[in-house]
Structure formats: C-alpha cells, structure tokens
Amino acid sequence: MLNFELYNPTNLIFGKGQIEKLATLVPKNTKILLAYGGGSIFKNGIHEQVRKSLEGFDVIEFGGIEANPHFETLMKAVEIIRAEKINFILAVGGGSVIDGVKFLSAAANFEGNPIDILKKRILFRDVTKVVPFGTVLTLPATGSEMNSGSVITIETTQEKLDFGGSALFPKFSICDPTVIASLPKRQLQNGVVDAYTHVLEQYLTYPHEGYLQDRIAESILQTLIQVGPDVVENPTDYALASNFMWSCTMALNGLIQKGVPSDWATHMIGHELTALYGIDHARTLAVVGPNLYRVMFETKKGKLAQYGKRIFNLTGSDDEIANEAINKTVEFFHIMGMQTKLSDYTKDFEKTADFIVTRFEERGWKALGEKQNITLEKVQSIVEMSY
C-alpha cells in the first residue's frame, strides 16, 4: 500500500429534516452569500426552508450559477463578496453550485488575477486566505459536498479546468435524501453514472495491495448498480434515495483513493467534450471511459478482470473477463439512459480528437493515467474510438 495522509474536516449532516440545523452550523454574526443555480430550489421548497432556518442572519443571494459553472458568472459574485464584505458563503445546490462556491471562496481574497487559479491550478492550503463556506446538497453526483476539488468552465476559451486544496473543504454539508424527489430523471441518471465513474477512476488501474480500498470501491459500485435504475423511477423511496446520495458522497470524499493509484484521464478528456459541446458531464464519461479501457486494455487488464469477477460474477480467462467487463459497463450505462458515442450528441465530431490533443499538448499534458502512459497518441485513439 502507498503512503498516505487522510484529512477531511467536513462536518456531514445526513438525513431527513436536517436543513433545520442550519442556524446552528453557520457561525453567528456572519454576513452570508447564499449561492444557487437555475432556481429549482424555489420550486421544491428548499429555498424557503433555508431562509426560514437563517432568520436573523444578514443574507445576500446570488443565483444563476450554471450546470458547468462559468468563471465569468462567478466573477460577478466575487465582486459582491468583496463589496459587501461577505464572510460566509452557503452553496444550495448540486456539485456545480458547490464547485462554483469553492471558486468564490478562493478568489475573494486572492491577490493576483483570479483566472490564474484555474490556468495555473493553484492549490489553496491556508484557511485564513479563503472565505469559509457550507453546503446544502440538492443533487447527489459529484461528491463536492465532502471534498476540496472544483471544476470551472472558462466560457470565452471553452476550457474546463480544475483546482483545489485542503483549505477548500466545506465547513459542513447538509445531505437530506428527500430533496431528490423533485429532480428530473436525467439529473438522477447523470448522478448515478458520475459517481460510478468516479469510483472507476480510482479503482480501474492495476492490481495492488490496497485490499480494503478495493473492497470499499467495489461495494459502492455494487450499491449504485443495485439502486441506480430504481432510484430514477422512484426517487421518493427513502431507502433508494439515501443509499444513492451516500454512495455519491463516498465515491469522491477521498477515502477510496488513499494508498492506491488513480487514473482521472477519462475526466480530463470528458471535460473537453463538455467545454466544446455542452454535453452533460456524466454523459461524456460514459462516452470516453469504456473506450479508454479498450485502448489501455493491456495496462488495465488485471484490474478489469478483478472488476468483472467481483462486480459482474464473470467467468473465463482474464482476457475474456476483462473484455466482457467493459461490455457490462456499457450495458449498465445504457440501462441508466446514457448514450455512449460522441456522434449521439453532436454531428461536428470529426476534428474533436485533433482539437483535444492540440489542447493537451499546449498545456503540457503529455502523459496521463495511473502509469503516465496515456500519451497524446493514445488520447487521439481514445477520442476517435468514441465517435
């Protein structure tokens, strides 16, 4: 097992009716920026619950954070934070709103050009340099409610870039599974596939000695296979909703990646597809992931075979099991309503591979994956196979 440090200071408050505890979690005498997305929190009653819990607090609201939060939109909020001397931010939304708030937290007191936070992937480790924030999760998917990473889109250059650091964990996150009752099916489908792929990024590498991490990862995958299709049809079922929400959090709160190798190339390529074509994040992962496993088959064969045996109960030779495990993954994505070819989403796909390879070259991203052996040539093949 590799050496590791595990640090996660987020206070997670999970279950029905927990929004009522908000007033005890937000520090007294703070001026709050309440940040949200497209306005669904007004329709499902969550906004009303939050404002009721925050009676007596000085609250300014900022809405309109996009599903892939735009740097340009967030900079408007940064101006408000600075002008109004905001000293606590509350994200009420899904992973995009929470990611956006992490950027606000980092950018508000940043002394340089805030775009450098993304362009230079600056790490924030000093909690005194950021604005503290908490979250009320409304859409399970990204795990952003219990991690310190964020992904932001620069609309003007069509780039989707990540940053983070140990200072950017939420102080608290309220996770009430009942909030998913009003979510559209598409968002629930996306949430399941996003979480599933988060696990695969940290699991489908090569056989190693992190036995416990493997077993925890496998249990999350099995739970998502068990509840995923049903929670889309029955989001008011509390057993389904709670297991779905907790699986999404556990998939990316840092636990299963400790002491083991991880990949993340599927995400790096997928981010480009979202930035270029506006395809839902989870759907880009369903397009890219299986083809990455095919192109990198020899590197990943051992772990793919383990995955096939333990998750899908497959039998045969390791080569046969590994190949069929990829097919079974695609099958699951289809059950979850995903299309798995880029051409299903855009007709302008023919130069996509060239564009992404050029971009990666410009950024110096020439060796990706757990073994740093996903070269630009391999990226080209993965994207072309995804057409």
Side-chain angles (χ1 to χ4, degrees):
M1 195 184 298
L2 306 174
N3 292 357
F4 68 89
E5 292 182 18
L6 177 60
Y7 172 75
N8 194 319
T10 300
N11 179 15
L12 195 88
I13 300 96
F14 190 96
K16 295 176 185 176
Q18 299 285 38
I19 293 174
E20 293 171 7
K21 295 182 179 173
L22 200 48
T24 66
L25 297 166
V26 176
K28 300 297 178 195
N29 304 314
T30 51
K31 192 170 187 181
I32 302 166
L33 183 79
L34 192 166
Y36 59 90
S40 62
I41 62 168
F42 291 94
K43 297 170 192 165
N44 58 20
I46 293 170
H47 178 267
E48 188 182 347
Q49 288 180 60
V50 167
R51 288 310 300 252
K52 188 178 176 185
S53 297
L54 293 178
E55 278 176 6
F57 284 90
D58 189 355
V59 180
I60 293 174
E61 297 191 5
F62 182 85
I65 295 174
E66 299 86 357
N68 292 288
H70 290 176
F71 167 80
E72 295 82 357
T73 301
L74 296 170
M75 284 308 298
K76 295 173 187 173
V78 170
E79 288 173 20
I80 294 169
I81 292 168
R82 290 171 175 172
E84 297 288 342
K85 296 183 169 51
I86 298 290
N87 51 12
F88 194 86
I89 312 170
L90 182 65
V92 183
S96 294
V97 173
I98 298 171
D99 278 12
V101 162
K102 288 175 184 175
F103 179 81
L104 302 183
S105 169
N109 299 324
F110 187 68
E111 291 176 359
N113 184 344
I115 204 162
D116 287 342
I117 294 170
L118 307 176
K119 294 280 190 180
K120 297 179 180 178
R121 297 175 87 182
I122 290 171
L123 275 176
F124 289 82
R125 294 193 177 99
D126 186 347
V127 292
T128 66
K129 298 281 177 69
V130 303
V131 179
F133 66 97
T135 88
V136 176
L137 182 67
T138 63
L139 171 58
T142 69
S144 194
E145 67 278 3
M146 202 178 175
N147 68 41
S148 60
S150 172
V151 184
I152 304 298
T153 297
I154 305 173
E155 191 181 19
T156 51
T157 54
Q158 288 187 299
E159 291 179 277
K160 192 171 174 181
L161 302 171
D162 66 291
F163 77 103
S166 56
L168 293 175
F169 281 98
K171 294 296 181 189
F172 63 82
S173 284
I174 295 175
C175 300
D176 180 346
T178 64
V179 303
I180 76 162
S182 60
L183 290 174
K185 279 187 182 182
R186 185 183 183 92
Q187 288 186 328
L188 293 168
Q189 291 168 335
N190 287 350
V192 172
V193 171
D194 196 9
Y196 195 90
T197 312
H198 286 159
V199 178
L200 293 184
E201 292 275 37
Q202 300 162 89
Y203 173 78
L204 273 185
T205 55
Y206 52 83
H208 51 69
E209 294 171 347
Y211 308 139
L212 180 60
Q213 291 91 320
D214 270 3
R215 293 295 188 181
I216 298 170
E218 288 157 2
S219 69
I220 299 168
L221 295 173
Q222 288 170 323
T223 305
L224 288 167
I225 289 169
Q226 179 184 344
V227 305
D230 292 335
V231 79
V232 171
E233 300 303 326
N234 304 294
T236 57
D237 183 310
Y238 189 75
L240 296 173
S242 56
N243 280 284
F244 164 47
M245 184 173 270
W246 185 223
S247 293
C248 291
T249 301
M250 283 292 292
L252 201 57
N253 65 1
L255 183 63
I256 63 171
Q257 74 177 36
K258 297 303 175 187
V260 301
S262 54
D263 183 347
W264 296 110
T266 294
H267 270 68
M268 294 171 87
I269 298 168
H271 287 163
E272 299 303 317
L273 299 183
T274 297
L276 286 170
Y277 304 116
I279 305 166
D280 298 359
H281 171 61
R283 290 165 197 266
T284 69
L285 305 179
V287 167
V288 175
N291 294 306
L292 184 144
Y293 309 145
R294 290 179 179 119
V295 171
M296 303 306 297
F297 186 79
E298 289 305 316
T299 296
K300 292 182 179 285
K301 181 168 64 177
K303 207 58 183 285
L304 278 164
Q306 178 181 310
Y307 168 60
K309 291 170 192 171
R310 293 186 182 180
I311 302 301
F312 299 113
N313 300 311
L314 300 174
T315 56
S317 69
D318 277 5
D319 276 58
E320 289 167 343
I321 293 170
N323 267 307
E324 187 56 22
I326 299 171
N327 296 335
K328 286 286 186 187
T329 304
V330 173
E331 231 175 81
F332 176 62
F333 290 164
H334 288 161
I335 289 168
M336 292 311 307
M338 300 289 119
Q339 293 166 305
T340 51
K341 289 289 177 191
L342 184 56
S343 52
D344 293 327
Y345 297 98
T346 177
K347 299 304 167 206
D348 301 323
F349 59 83
E350 285 177 7
K351 293 181 181 175
T352 307
D354 293 338
F355 185 87
I356 292 175
V357 166
T358 301
R359 256 215 177 142
F360 282 13
E361 193 161 22
E362 287 167 355
R363 292 179 192 148
W365 296 0
K366 296 178 182 179
L368 310 179
E370 66 275 9
K371 290 188 173 179
Q372 300 289 283
N373 62 347
I374 301 180
T375 60
L376 293 177
E377 291 77 20
K378 292 281 201 312
V379 171
Q380 182 99 21
S381 299
I382 291 162
V383 179
E384 287 176 349
M385 194 179 281
S386 301
Y387 291 169

